[in-house]
Amino acid sequence: MERREEYQGYVPEIIKEIVINDKNELLVKLIGDANPMYQYLYREAAGVYWDEDLKAFKSTPLKEWTASKWFFHIKDLVSSVLKVELLVDEKIEWVNVAEDEVNKIKKAMKGYSNQIE
């Protein structure tokens, strides 16, 4: 596994795809190999898990929360617990995510100063 350079004190991971799967779970898929230690995120009992096969963080099934609320929950939890900064760029793929939820995430991400230009 290649060594990632820290980004403002956090390990950067670039999101390649955001998906709502057939189980109605939100998946935040990463580019490249990810750290196997991400699997321990479940210990926080916050409804977010690491799927090693998919190289993705995933939510429990979407019920009361929207896709955008789950996305920011995942992003904040990964940042605070794993010290990993999830970054997005213009090439991100959206699969089965409602357009209004995509727009909410994109609009809010503009407020994050650490995003790839």
Side-chain angles (χ1 to χ4, degrees), residues 34-79:
N35 189 328
M37 297 297 287
Y38 295 170
Q39 68 179 311
Y40 298 111
L41 186 64
Y42 79 90
R43 292 178 177 171
E44 296 300 309
V48 178
Y49 304 89
W50 173 249
D51 186 313
E52 181 64 28
D53 294 332
L54 297 174
K55 304 291 187 230
F57 293 104
K58 70 178 183 177
S59 71
T60 55
L62 279 66
K63 293 180 182 171
E64 295 88 22
W65 284 10
T66 62
S68 58
K69 187 168 183 176
W70 267 112
F71 173 80
F72 288 105
H73 177 64
I74 291 169
K75 183 173 181 5
D76 293 344
L77 191 66
V78 167
S79 177

CSV table of all heavy atoms in Angstrom, one decimal, residues 34-79:
chain,number,residue,atom,x,y,z
A,34,ALA,N,-7.3,1.3,0.6
A,34,ALA,CA,-7.5,2.0,1.8
A,34,ALA,C,-7.0,1.2,3.0
A,34,ALA,O,-6.6,0.0,2.9
A,34,ALA,CB,-9.0,2.2,2.0
A,35,ASN,N,-6.8,1.9,4.1
A,35,ASN,CA,-6.3,1.3,5.3
A,35,ASN,C,-7.2,0.2,5.9
A,35,ASN,O,-8.4,0.5,6.2
A,35,ASN,CB,-6.0,2.4,6.3
A,35,ASN,CG,-5.2,1.9,7.5
A,35,ASN,OD1,-5.3,0.8,7.9
A,35,ASN,ND2,-4.4,2.8,8.0
A,36,PRO,N,-6.7,-1.0,6.1
A,36,PRO,CA,-7.6,-2.0,6.7
A,36,PRO,C,-8.1,-1.7,8.1
A,36,PRO,O,-9.1,-2.2,8.6
A,36,PRO,CB,-6.7,-3.3,6.8
A,36,PRO,CG,-5.6,-3.0,5.8
A,36,PRO,CD,-5.4,-1.5,5.7
A,37,MET,N,-7.4,-0.7,8.8
A,37,MET,CA,-7.8,-0.3,10.1
A,37,MET,C,-9.2,0.4,10.1
A,37,MET,O,-9.8,0.6,11.1
A,37,MET,CB,-6.8,0.6,10.7
A,37,MET,CG,-5.4,0.0,10.9
A,37,MET,SD,-5.5,-1.4,12.1
A,37,MET,CE,-5.7,-0.5,13.6
A,38,TYR,N,-9.6,0.8,8.9
A,38,TYR,CA,-10.9,1.5,8.8
A,38,TYR,C,-12.1,0.6,9.3
A,38,TYR,O,-13.1,1.1,9.7
A,38,TYR,CB,-11.2,1.9,7.4
A,38,TYR,CG,-10.3,3.0,6.8
A,38,TYR,CD1,-10.3,3.3,5.5
A,38,TYR,CD2,-9.4,3.7,7.6
A,38,TYR,CE1,-9.5,4.3,5.0
A,38,TYR,CE2,-8.5,4.6,7.1
A,38,TYR,CZ,-8.6,4.9,5.8
A,38,TYR,OH,-7.8,5.9,5.3
A,39,GLN,N,-11.8,-0.7,9.3
A,39,GLN,CA,-12.9,-1.6,9.8
A,39,GLN,C,-13.3,-1.4,11.2
A,39,GLN,O,-14.4,-1.7,11.6
A,39,GLN,CB,-12.4,-3.1,9.6
A,39,GLN,CG,-11.2,-3.4,10.5
A,39,GLN,CD,-10.8,-4.9,10.4
A,39,GLN,OE1,-11.6,-5.7,10.4
A,39,GLN,NE2,-9.5,-5.0,10.2
A,40,TYR,N,-12.4,-0.8,12.0
A,40,TYR,CA,-12.7,-0.6,13.4
A,40,TYR,C,-13.6,0.6,13.7
A,40,TYR,O,-14.0,0.8,14.9
A,40,TYR,CB,-11.4,-0.5,14.2
A,40,TYR,CG,-10.6,-1.7,14.1
A,40,TYR,CD1,-9.4,-1.8,13.4
A,40,TYR,CD2,-11.0,-2.9,14.7
A,40,TYR,CE1,-8.7,-2.9,13.3
A,40,TYR,CE2,-10.3,-4.1,14.5
A,40,TYR,CZ,-9.1,-4.1,13.8
A,40,TYR,OH,-8.4,-5.3,13.7
A,41,LEU,N,-14.0,1.3,12.7
A,41,LEU,CA,-15.0,2.4,12.9
A,41,LEU,C,-16.3,1.9,13.5
A,41,LEU,O,-16.9,2.7,14.2
A,41,LEU,CB,-15.2,3.0,11.5
A,41,LEU,CG,-16.1,4.3,11.5
A,41,LEU,CD1,-15.4,5.4,12.3
A,41,LEU,CD2,-16.4,4.8,10.1
A,42,TYR,N,-16.7,0.7,13.2
A,42,TYR,CA,-17.9,0.1,13.8
A,42,TYR,C,-18.0,0.3,15.3
A,42,TYR,O,-19.1,0.3,15.9
A,42,TYR,CB,-18.1,-1.3,13.4
A,42,TYR,CG,-17.3,-2.3,14.2
A,42,TYR,CD1,-17.8,-2.9,15.3
A,42,TYR,CD2,-16.0,-2.6,13.8
A,42,TYR,CE1,-17.1,-3.8,16.1
A,42,TYR,CE2,-15.3,-3.5,14.6
A,42,TYR,CZ,-15.8,-4.1,15.7
A,42,TYR,OH,-15.1,-5.0,16.5
A,43,ARG,N,-16.8,0.3,16.0
A,43,ARG,CA,-16.8,0.4,17.4
A,43,ARG,C,-17.4,1.6,18.0
A,43,ARG,O,-17.8,1.7,19.2
A,43,ARG,CB,-15.3,0.3,17.9
A,43,ARG,CG,-14.7,-1.0,17.7
A,43,ARG,CD,-13.3,-1.0,18.1
A,43,ARG,NE,-12.6,-2.3,17.9
A,43,ARG,CZ,-11.3,-2.6,18.1
A,43,ARG,NH1,-10.5,-1.6,18.4
A,43,ARG,NH2,-10.8,-3.8,17.9
A,44,GLU,N,-17.6,2.6,17.2
A,44,GLU,CA,-18.2,3.8,17.6
A,44,GLU,C,-19.7,3.7,17.8
A,44,GLU,O,-20.4,4.6,18.3
A,44,GLU,CB,-17.9,5.0,16.6
A,44,GLU,CG,-16.5,5.3,16.5
A,44,GLU,CD,-15.9,5.8,17.9
A,44,GLU,OE1,-16.5,6.7,18.5
A,44,GLU,OE2,-14.9,5.3,18.3
A,45,ALA,N,-20.3,2.6,17.3
A,45,ALA,CA,-21.7,2.3,17.3
A,45,ALA,C,-22.5,3.5,16.8
A,45,ALA,O,-23.5,3.9,17.4
A,45,ALA,CB,-22.1,2.0,18.8
A,46,ALA,N,-22.1,4.1,15.7
A,46,ALA,CA,-22.7,5.2,15.1
A,46,ALA,C,-23.4,4.9,13.8
A,46,ALA,O,-23.8,5.8,13.1
A,46,ALA,CB,-21.7,6.3,14.9
A,47,GLY,N,-23.6,3.6,13.5
A,47,GLY,CA,-24.3,3.3,12.3
A,47,GLY,C,-23.5,3.4,11.0
A,47,GLY,O,-24.0,3.3,9.9
A,48,VAL,N,-22.1,3.5,11.1
A,48,VAL,CA,-21.2,3.6,10.0
A,48,VAL,C,-20.3,2.4,10.0
A,48,VAL,O,-19.7,2.1,11.1
A,48,VAL,CB,-20.5,4.9,10.0
A,48,VAL,CG1,-19.5,5.0,8.8
A,48,VAL,CG2,-21.5,6.1,9.9
A,49,TYR,N,-20.1,1.8,8.9
A,49,TYR,CA,-19.2,0.6,8.8
A,49,TYR,C,-18.3,0.7,7.6
A,49,TYR,O,-18.6,1.5,6.7
A,49,TYR,CB,-20.1,-0.7,8.7
A,49,TYR,CG,-21.1,-0.8,9.8
A,49,TYR,CD1,-22.3,-0.2,9.7
A,49,TYR,CD2,-20.7,-1.4,11.0
A,49,TYR,CE1,-23.2,-0.3,10.8
A,49,TYR,CE2,-21.6,-1.5,12.0
A,49,TYR,CZ,-22.9,-0.9,11.9
A,49,TYR,OH,-23.7,-1.0,13.0
A,50,TRP,N,-17.2,-0.1,7.6
A,50,TRP,CA,-16.3,-0.1,6.5
A,50,TRP,C,-16.5,-1.4,5.8
A,50,TRP,O,-16.5,-2.5,6.4
A,50,TRP,CB,-14.8,-0.1,7.0
A,50,TRP,CG,-13.8,-0.3,6.0
A,50,TRP,CD1,-13.0,-1.4,5.8
A,50,TRP,CD2,-13.5,0.6,4.9
A,50,TRP,NE1,-12.2,-1.2,4.7
A,50,TRP,CE2,-12.5,0.0,4.1
A,50,TRP,CE3,-14.0,1.8,4.4
A,50,TRP,CZ2,-12.0,0.5,2.9
A,50,TRP,CZ3,-13.5,2.4,3.3
A,50,TRP,CH2,-12.5,1.8,2.6
A,51,ASP,N,-16.7,-1.4,4.5
A,51,ASP,CA,-16.8,-2.6,3.6
A,51,ASP,C,-15.5,-2.7,2.9
A,51,ASP,O,-15.2,-2.0,1.9
A,51,ASP,CB,-18.0,-2.4,2.7
A,51,ASP,CG,-18.3,-3.6,1.9
A,51,ASP,OD1,-17.3,-4.2,1.3
A,51,ASP,OD2,-19.4,-4.0,1.8
A,52,GLU,N,-14.7,-3.7,3.3
A,52,GLU,CA,-13.4,-3.9,2.7
A,52,GLU,C,-13.4,-4.3,1.3
A,52,GLU,O,-12.6,-3.8,0.5
A,52,GLU,CB,-12.6,-5.0,3.5
A,52,GLU,CG,-11.2,-5.3,3.1
A,52,GLU,CD,-10.2,-4.1,3.2
A,52,GLU,OE1,-10.4,-3.2,4.1
A,52,GLU,OE2,-9.3,-4.0,2.4
A,53,ASP,N,-14.4,-5.1,0.9
A,53,ASP,CA,-14.5,-5.5,-0.5
A,53,ASP,C,-14.8,-4.4,-1.4
A,53,ASP,O,-14.3,-4.3,-2.5
A,53,ASP,CB,-15.6,-6.6,-0.7
A,53,ASP,CG,-15.2,-7.9,0.1
A,53,ASP,OD1,-14.0,-8.2,0.2
A,53,ASP,OD2,-16.1,-8.6,0.5
A,54,LEU,N,-15.7,-3.5,-1.0
A,54,LEU,CA,-16.1,-2.3,-1.8
A,54,LEU,C,-15.2,-1.1,-1.6
A,54,LEU,O,-15.3,-0.1,-2.4
A,54,LEU,CB,-17.5,-1.9,-1.5
A,54,LEU,CG,-18.6,-3.0,-1.9
A,54,LEU,CD1,-19.9,-2.5,-1.4
A,54,LEU,CD2,-18.6,-3.3,-3.4
A,55,LYS,N,-14.3,-1.2,-0.6
A,55,LYS,CA,-13.5,0.0,-0.3
A,55,LYS,C,-14.4,1.2,-0.1
A,55,LYS,O,-14.2,2.3,-0.7
A,55,LYS,CB,-12.4,0.3,-1.3
A,55,LYS,CG,-11.5,-0.9,-1.7
A,55,LYS,CD,-10.5,-1.1,-0.5
A,55,LYS,CE,-9.5,-2.2,-0.9
A,55,LYS,NZ,-9.4,-3.3,0.0
A,56,ALA,N,-15.3,1.0,0.8
A,56,ALA,CA,-16.3,2.0,1.0
A,56,ALA,C,-16.8,2.1,2.5
A,56,ALA,O,-16.9,1.0,3.2
A,56,ALA,CB,-17.6,1.8,0.2
A,57,PHE,N,-17.1,3.3,2.9
A,57,PHE,CA,-17.8,3.5,4.2
A,57,PHE,C,-19.3,3.3,3.9
A,57,PHE,O,-19.7,3.8,2.8
A,57,PHE,CB,-17.5,4.8,4.8
A,57,PHE,CG,-16.1,5.0,5.2
A,57,PHE,CD1,-15.2,5.7,4.5
A,57,PHE,CD2,-15.6,4.4,6.4
A,57,PHE,CE1,-13.8,5.8,4.9
A,57,PHE,CE2,-14.3,4.5,6.8
A,57,PHE,CZ,-13.4,5.2,6.0
A,58,LYS,N,-20.0,2.7,4.7
A,58,LYS,CA,-21.5,2.6,4.5
A,58,LYS,C,-22.3,2.8,5.7
A,58,LYS,O,-21.9,2.6,6.8
A,58,LYS,CB,-21.8,1.2,3.9
A,58,LYS,CG,-21.7,0.0,4.8
A,58,LYS,CD,-22.1,-1.2,4.1
A,58,LYS,CE,-22.0,-2.4,5.0
A,58,LYS,NZ,-22.5,-3.6,4.3
A,59,SER,N,-23.5,3.3,5.4
A,59,SER,CA,-24.5,3.6,6.5
A,59,SER,C,-25.3,2.4,6.7
A,59,SER,O,-25.3,1.4,6.0
A,59,SER,CB,-25.4,4.7,6.1
A,59,SER,OG,-26.3,4.3,5.0
A,60,THR,N,-26.1,2.4,7.8
A,60,THR,CA,-27.2,1.5,7.9
A,60,THR,C,-28.3,1.9,6.9
A,60,THR,O,-28.2,3.0,6.3
A,60,THR,CB,-27.7,1.5,9.4
A,60,THR,OG1,-28.1,2.8,9.7
A,60,THR,CG2,-26.7,1.0,10.4
A,61,PRO,N,-29.3,1.1,6.7
A,61,PRO,CA,-30.3,1.6,5.7
A,61,PRO,C,-30.9,2.9,6.0
A,61,PRO,O,-31.2,3.3,7.2
A,61,PRO,CB,-31.4,0.4,5.8
A,61,PRO,CG,-30.6,-0.8,6.2
A,61,PRO,CD,-29.6,-0.2,7.2
A,62,LEU,N,-31.1,3.7,5.0
A,62,LEU,CA,-31.7,5.0,5.1
A,62,LEU,C,-33.1,4.9,5.5
A,62,LEU,O,-33.9,4.3,4.8
A,62,LEU,CB,-31.6,5.8,3.8
A,62,LEU,CG,-30.2,6.5,3.4
A,62,LEU,CD1,-29.1,5.4,3.2
A,62,LEU,CD2,-30.3,7.4,2.2
A,63,LYS,N,-33.5,5.5,6.6
A,63,LYS,CA,-34.9,5.6,7.1
A,63,LYS,C,-35.2,7.0,7.4
A,63,LYS,O,-35.8,7.7,6.6
A,63,LYS,CB,-35.1,4.6,8.3
A,63,LYS,CG,-34.9,3.2,7.9
A,63,LYS,CD,-35.1,2.2,9.0
A,63,LYS,CE,-34.9,0.8,8.6
A,63,LYS,NZ,-34.8,-0.1,9.7
A,64,GLU,N,-34.9,7.4,8.6
A,64,GLU,CA,-35.2,8.8,9.1
A,64,GLU,C,-34.3,9.8,8.5
A,64,GLU,O,-34.7,11.0,8.3
A,64,GLU,CB,-35.2,8.9,10.6
A,64,GLU,CG,-36.2,8.0,11.3
A,64,GLU,CD,-35.7,6.6,11.6
A,64,GLU,OE1,-34.5,6.4,11.7
A,64,GLU,OE2,-36.5,5.7,11.8
A,65,TRP,N,-33.1,9.4,8.2
A,65,TRP,CA,-32.1,10.4,7.7
A,65,TRP,C,-32.0,10.4,6.2
A,65,TRP,O,-32.2,9.3,5.5
A,65,TRP,CB,-30.7,10.0,8.2
A,65,TRP,CG,-30.5,10.4,9.6
A,65,TRP,CD1,-31.4,10.8,10.5
A,65,TRP,CD2,-29.2,10.4,10.3
A,65,TRP,NE1,-30.8,11.1,11.8
A,65,TRP,CE2,-29.4,10.8,11.6
A,65,TRP,CE3,-27.9,10.1,9.9
A,65,TRP,CZ2,-28.4,10.9,12.6
A,65,TRP,CZ3,-26.9,10.2,10.9
A,65,TRP,CH2,-27.2,10.6,12.2
A,66,THR,N,-31.7,11.5,5.6
A,66,THR,CA,-31.6,11.6,4.2
A,66,THR,C,-30.1,11.2,3.8
A,66,THR,O,-29.3,11.1,4.6
A,66,THR,CB,-31.7,13.1,3.7
A,66,THR,OG1,-30.7,13.9,4.3
A,66,THR,CG2,-33.1,13.6,4.1
A,67,ALA,N,-29.9,11.1,2.5
A,67,ALA,CA,-28.6,10.7,2.0
A,67,ALA,C,-27.6,11.8,2.4
A,67,ALA,O,-26.4,11.5,2.8
A,67,ALA,CB,-28.6,10.5,0.5
A,68,SER,N,-27.9,13.0,2.3
A,68,SER,CA,-27.0,14.1,2.6
A,68,SER,C,-26.6,14.1,4.1
A,68,SER,O,-25.5,14.3,4.5
A,68,SER,CB,-27.5,15.5,2.1
A,68,SER,OG,-28.8,15.8,2.7
A,69,LYS,N,-27.6,13.9,4.9
A,69,LYS,CA,-27.4,13.8,6.4
A,69,LYS,C,-26.4,12.7,6.7
A,69,LYS,O,-25.5,12.8,7.5
A,69,LYS,CB,-28.7,13.7,7.2
A,69,LYS,CG,-28.4,13.8,8.7
A,69,LYS,CD,-29.7,14.0,9.4
A,69,LYS,CE,-29.4,14.2,10.9
A,69,LYS,NZ,-30.7,14.5,11.7
A,70,TRP,N,-26.6,11.5,6.1
A,70,TRP,CA,-25.8,10.4,6.3
A,70,TRP,C,-24.4,10.7,5.8
A,70,TRP,O,-23.4,10.3,6.4
A,70,TRP,CB,-26.3,9.1,5.6
A,70,TRP,CG,-27.1,8.3,6.5
A,70,TRP,CD1,-28.5,8.1,6.4
A,70,TRP,CD2,-26.7,7.5,7.6
A,70,TRP,NE1,-28.9,7.2,7.4
A,70,TRP,CE2,-27.8,6.9,8.2
A,70,TRP,CE3,-25.5,7.3,8.2
A,70,TRP,CZ2,-27.7,6.1,9.3
A,70,TRP,CZ3,-25.4,6.5,9.4
A,70,TRP,CH2,-26.5,5.9,9.9
A,71,PHE,N,-24.3,11.3,4.6
A,71,PHE,CA,-22.9,11.6,4.1
A,71,PHE,C,-22.1,12.4,5.0
A,71,PHE,O,-21.0,12.1,5.3
A,71,PHE,CB,-23.1,12.4,2.7
A,71,PHE,CG,-21.7,12.8,2.2
A,71,PHE,CD1,-20.9,12.0,1.5
A,71,PHE,CD2,-21.3,14.1,2.4
A,71,PHE,CE1,-19.6,12.4,1.1
A,71,PHE,CE2,-20.1,14.6,2.0
A,71,PHE,CZ,-19.2,13.7,1.3
A,72,PHE,N,-22.7,13.5,5.6
A,72,PHE,CA,-22.0,14.4,6.5
A,72,PHE,C,-21.7,13.7,7.8
A,72,PHE,O,-20.7,13.9,8.5
A,72,PHE,CB,-22.6,15.7,6.6
A,72,PHE,CG,-22.5,16.5,5.4
A,72,PHE,CD1,-23.5,16.7,4.5
A,72,PHE,CD2,-21.2,17.0,5.1
A,72,PHE,CE1,-23.3,17.4,3.3
A,72,PHE,CE2,-21.0,17.7,3.9
A,72,PHE,CZ,-22.0,17.9,3.0
A,73,HIS,N,-22.6,12.8,8.2
A,73,HIS,CA,-22.4,12.0,9.4
A,73,HIS,C,-21.1,11.1,9.2
A,73,HIS,O,-20.2,11.0,10.1
A,73,HIS,CB,-23.6,11.2,9.8
A,73,HIS,CG,-23.4,10.2,10.9
A,73,HIS,ND1,-23.2,10.7,12.2
A,73,HIS,CD2,-23.4,8.9,11.0
A,73,HIS,CE1,-23.1,9.7,13.0
A,73,HIS,NE2,-23.2,8.6,12.3
A,74,ILE,N,-21.1,10.4,8.1
A,74,ILE,CA,-19.9,9.6,7.7
A,74,ILE,C,-18.7,10.4,7.7
A,74,ILE,O,-17.6,10.1,8.3
A,74,ILE,CB,-20.2,8.8,6.4
A,74,ILE,CG1,-21.2,7.8,6.6
A,74,ILE,CG2,-18.9,8.2,5.9
A,74,ILE,CD1,-21.8,7.1,5.3
A,75,LYS,N,-18.7,11.5,7.0
A,75,LYS,CA,-17.5,12.4,6.8
A,75,LYS,C,-17.0,12.9,8.1
A,75,LYS,O,-15.8,12.8,8.4
A,75,LYS,CB,-17.9,13.6,5.9
A,75,LYS,CG,-16.7,14.5,5.6
A,75,LYS,CD,-17.0,15.5,4.6
A,75,LYS,CE,-15.9,16.5,4.2
A,75,LYS,NZ,-14.6,16.3,4.7
A,76,ASP,N,-17.9,13.3,9.0
A,76,ASP,CA,-17.5,13.9,10.3
A,76,ASP,C,-17.0,12.8,11.2
A,76,ASP,O,-16.0,12.9,11.9
A,76,ASP,CB,-18.7,14.6,11.0
A,76,ASP,CG,-19.1,15.9,10.3
A,76,ASP,OD1,-18.3,16.4,9.4
A,76,ASP,OD2,-20.2,16.3,10.5
A,77,LEU,N,-17.6,11.6,11.2
A,77,LEU,CA,-17.2,10.5,12.0
A,77,LEU,C,-15.8,10.0,11.6
A,77,LEU,O,-14.9,9.7,12.4
A,77,LEU,CB,-18.2,9.3,12.0
A,77,LEU,CG,-18.0,8.2,13.0
A,77,LEU,CD1,-18.3,8.7,14.4
A,77,LEU,CD2,-19.0,7.1,12.7
A,78,VAL,N,-15.6,9.8,10.3
A,78,VAL,CA,-14.3,9.4,9.8
A,78,VAL,C,-13.2,10.3,10.1
A,78,VAL,O,-12.1,10.0,10.5
A,78,VAL,CB,-14.4,9.1,8.2
A,78,VAL,CG1,-13.1,9.0,7.6
A,78,VAL,CG2,-15.3,7.9,7.9
A,79,SER,N,-13.5,11.6,10.1
A,79,SER,CA,-12.6,12.6,10.4
A,79,SER,C,-12.2,12.6,11.9
A,79,SER,O,-11.0,12.6,12.2
A,79,SER,CB,-13.1,14.0,10.0
A,79,SER,OG,-12.2,15.0,10.4
